[in-house]
Amino acid sequence: MKKIAKLFAVLSAIALLGTVVSCSNDDGSDPLETSPNNPNPRPDNPEDASAIWEGAEMIEALANTEYTWQECNISSEWASRLQVGSKVIFEIEKKADADGAEYAKFRVTKGWTACGVSKYYTADGNEVLVKEDTTNLGTYENEAGNGGTYYFAVEESNIANLKTGFDLCGNFKLVKIGITNLKEKEAEDPNVQKTITLEKNQYAANPESQAKVALDFNEVKVGDKVTVKLVGKATRAFKGEFFIVDTTSEAGKPENVGGYWGELAEKYPADEDVDGVKTKKPLDVPAEFTIEHVFEINHAQWGTGTNACMFAVNALDGDDTIELKCTEYSITLTKGDGWNQPEPDPETPATKTIVINPNVYGEPATNHGLQYLIEGSSLSELFANGLPKSGETYTIKIVGTADAEFDGMMQFMNEWTGITGEAATAKFTTTEFTIEKDFTFSADLSSTNGKFQLFNNDTEATKKTLTVKTLTFTKKEATPTTEKTIDVTVNHYEGADHGIQYTEAVATCIPAGAKSGDVYTLKMVGTADAEFNANLLFVNGTWAGITGEAIPVTFTTTEFTIEKDFTFSADTDADCKFMLTNAEMSPAVAKKLTLKEYSFTKKVSE
């Protein structure tokens, strides 16, 4: 009996064990592959993480890009081809955020709002631990913050949100991204004359998409008529508004010009008065549309160039990407009487009005001081020979008067990052002022997101108006220093002489500073009061070399010409120095160099 009892105990344990450790269905298949609750089956070989990429179409334009809590947008060009069962796969790496912390955090959203994606998986099919954002409910972020390969699945529950475009938001370096199981691309319609793409308006208080279109004409005058006709198909029906605008500088538009941009004509459709309140009445634009309207120009533009006269479209019922494929597209100008006015007297200097408005933003709306911007394509009109390059110096000259005295600052930026060092200060007065300031660029000024900013941080400031007779930016050509004298003095410390030495701050000899990898050529032409040997190098604040081995040279009493290249292994800062030294000279005797030419020139790679 005891043997039979033991046998039953063993059989029961085996049965129980089978229940616990079973990893297959009755037919032997993997439940992770077949379960209706797991739409994200792991690859056939979980050990081979690369298998997840098989069949994926890669979005090359987004690869190898860093994002610091920004949006990486997957446009409708790709998203419109999604199908249930598609997988969006991305490989990311950790990167430092604005505070220097390194991690890789991401979430899938539509402009930081929920789009129905709440689960992510690693390349081998393991679900990622996430947490919901308490500010943007319905958006989920990977909790661990690790780099690696991840994916999410397109399902019935989220495909409608995703098909119009979505964002991969966060802090990470995107190595690559691809999508599996995409529909075939639709053949381009040969009849399409123009495609207008509306994309999320980052600054709108409510979800909104927008597009701005440069016109064939850059100037309109009061009394002109601009006729618009668009016929074609849209990604979807939408509620739209249409404008003719000057976008030269939103902060600088005259006070009597309406709209966030400067509306040069009444928008279409116009707002309606409802119980004394102006109320938007957008046009219901069907998926197959015909839009015809004549805009009558009732405000003079204040800017010049393509940004000063643009056609704009807003979609007010969502911030997804919408494409208008126009089989008929025409925007034509009919000139009015404004073109028949006499030309201005060439003896009288032309004046320009610059309106500097309070820079109000945030929730609640707060004044952050005054701001006036010249940006984008409008910058190119100020630089006749092309936009400034890294290392170049330009002088701004402003002559004019202000309606009220105020202190201001000026700087150049790419996006919102300064590229000309500390902002230059200036006082604008009611009597005629002349302001001249030099700006040395540490990076090329961008043609797309470059900006010139005139501003202050006076939160009590009210609008100011400048009447400007002169506004120019002039490149300063590098000129060699004439008859520069360098005194190479005895280097005496700790009670003894240690040869001779001359040092000069980098800010003096290379005003823009040098970056790691930069190569600068030193040219010296002159004579020495006595022949001597020396070594040349750049050092940091701890006297460690940052340009490799010191370069030996000989200075002679007859005219010498020395040209030497220095390759920087680190960025320079305020403590870095150029150094000329001879530590072996004994006895140490001071020397003097009289130079006809002394310059450092950045070498630009071909």
Side-chain angles (χ1 to χ4, degrees), residues 440-459:
T440 299
F441 289 78
S442 61
D444 294 356
L445 182 62
S446 170
S447 60
T448 55
N449 60 26
K451 296 175 175 65
F452 169 73
Q453 179 181 214
L454 192 164
F455 69 105
N456 70 21
N457 298 319
D458 179 4
T459 58

Side-chain angles (χ1 to χ4, degrees), residues 71 73 108-115 136 139 165-169 200 202 319:
E71 303 166 18
N73 179 253
V108 177
T109 66
K110 289 179 76 71
W112 299 96
T113 60
C115 64
N136 299 298
T139 67
F166 58 92
D167 299 300
L168 184 64
C169 302
K200 174 184 169 63
Q202 305 284 354
D319 57 11

Side-chain angles (χ1 to χ4, degrees), residues 300-318:
Q301 65 192 72
W302 62 91
T304 57
T306 55
N307 281 12
C309 185
M310 304 189 84
F311 173 61
V313 185
N314 278 0
L316 305 181
D317 54 349

Side-chain angles (χ1 to χ4, degrees), residues 316-332:
L316 305 181
D317 54 349
D319 57 11
D320 52 308
T321 301
I322 303 173
E323 288 189 337
L324 309 183
K325 292 187 177 293
C326 302
T327 53
E328 186 174 343
Y329 170 86
S330 67
I331 301 180
T332 55

Side-chain angles (χ1 to χ4, degrees), residues 12 24 68 99 120 149 157-158 187 194 237 276 357 365 393 429 485 508 558:
S12 297
S24 62
T68 305
D99 297 321
Y120 316 117
T149 298
S157 61
N158 59 30
K194 177 83 171 179
N357 286 318
T393 299
T429 58
T485 299
T508 302
T558 56

Side-chain angles (χ1 to χ4, degrees), residues 119-150:
K119 292 183 179 181
Y120 316 117
Y121 298 83
T122 59
D124 56 6
N126 291 317
E127 188 170 337
V128 176
L129 188 63
V130 299
K131 64 178 180 181
E132 184 176 15
D133 182 27
T134 56
T135 303
N136 299 298
L137 295 176
T139 67
Y140 296 85
E141 182 180 286
N142 63 317
E143 193 160 349
N146 294 323
T149 298
Y150 301 91

